Amino acid sequence: MARSANARTGTEAGTEPVPQRLLAVATRLFAEQGFEATSVQQIVDAAGVTKGAMYHYFGSKDDLLYEIYARVLRDQQARLESAAESDSPVKERLHAAASDVVATTTANLEDTIIFFRSMHLLHADKQAEVRAERRRYHERVRGLIEEGQKTGVFRTDKSADLVVDFFFGAVHHLGTWFHEDGKLTGQEVGEHFADLLLDSLRP
């Protein structure tokens, strides 16, 4: 059949590749009816592929939920590394990293909300993978703060760990109040968050 052939090749005329299409459909269905209430059959029907095509890319519904957030984390990690490894002063590198994580979180807010709403339903090893990736990100930001503290650019009377927890606590709270049609764009909120972070570290 034409649909099965297209599913095997990974594309359908005028549509996204199968993995992206499955992720887009899963994101929508998880948002509309919840992770637990969404069946694999509903996902593949809405994506216009077979179960075999889905299992070629994703071993389970858990893998779809994991990938919804993991792809955001991978992008953020790459962007953080780019900012952190630049030749700019540490204040500029930290500001760039802080504003970017807010901007990219707001740009992918639905994915983030869906994932954290259902993360506890994931298999333990998938939860551990996500926590490890988030910890790696946080530790890279902490490294920038510690670099600034060691060189006298940032205040030293507040631990870098506490500053990181405080900042990311605010970032993870974005889903409760940020709206695309609000007064500020995600990029503008990111700039404000980064300014506040740098102000709090001023000696």
Side-chain angles (χ1 to χ4, degrees):
M1 294 176 62
R3 189 174 73 177
S4 296
N6 285 327
R8 284 196 299 272
T9 61
T11 61
E12 288 185 356
T15 63
E16 292 180 299
V18 169
Q20 285 76 17
R21 197 156 76 249
L22 284 164
L23 284 168
V25 166
T27 299
R28 176 174 59 80
L29 290 175
F30 293 162
E32 291 174 355
Q33 57 194 40
F35 176 74
E36 286 184 296
T38 300
S39 68
V40 169
Q41 190 63 56
Q42 288 176 311
I43 294 170
V44 297
D45 285 347
V49 301
T50 64
K51 282 187 178 180
M54 176 187 141
Y55 289 129
H56 177 72
Y57 297 102
F58 303 100
S60 66
K61 192 172 69 167
D62 270 29
D63 287 347
L64 279 166
L65 178 61
Y66 168 79
E67 184 61 20
I68 284 171
Y69 185 58
R71 60 184 174 174
V72 178
L73 271 178
R74 286 194 298 270
D75 178 58
Q76 289 179 329
Q77 187 71 45
R79 295 167 69 95
L80 171 61
E81 291 299 330
S82 178
E85 293 176 4
S86 78
D87 295 328
S88 302
V90 68
K91 286 198 296 186
E92 293 180 16
R93 284 182 279 142
L94 181 60
H95 192 282
S99 62
D100 182 75
V101 72
V102 173
T104 52
T105 296
T106 55
N108 298 278
L109 204 56
E110 184 180 47
D111 293 357
T112 304
I113 291 171
I114 289 167
F115 180 80
F116 282 107
R117 184 192 302 157
S118 305
M119 179 179 171
H120 67 285
L121 300 171
L122 280 178
H123 192 276
D125 63 344
K126 289 293 184 185
Q127 293 188 41
E129 286 182 44
V130 172
R131 291 193 178 99
E133 287 301 310
R134 287 176 59 197
R135 184 166 56 251
R136 187 160 71 95
Y137 190 98
H138 290 189
E139 287 173 351
R140 193 69 169 96
V141 174
R142 184 185 66 194
L144 289 174
I145 295 171
E146 290 175 336
E147 178 186 339
Q149 289 176 327
K150 290 175 183 176
T151 55
V153 176
F154 299 147
R155 63 192 295 176
T156 58
D157 60 330
K158 308 297 180 188
S159 76
D161 281 328
L162 184 62
V163 175
V164 166
D165 288 343
F166 182 81
F167 177 75
F168 282 104
V171 173
H172 296 156
H173 196 62
L174 285 166
T176 65
W177 64 267
F178 179 81
H179 298 283
E180 289 185 357
D181 57 353
K183 293 182 178 180
L184 297 174
T185 66
Q187 186 64 52
E188 288 170 336
V189 173
E191 291 293 321
H192 286 306
F193 269 44
D195 289 345
L196 290 168
L197 175 61
L198 269 294
D199 285 347
S200 72
L201 288 167
R202 187 177 300 158

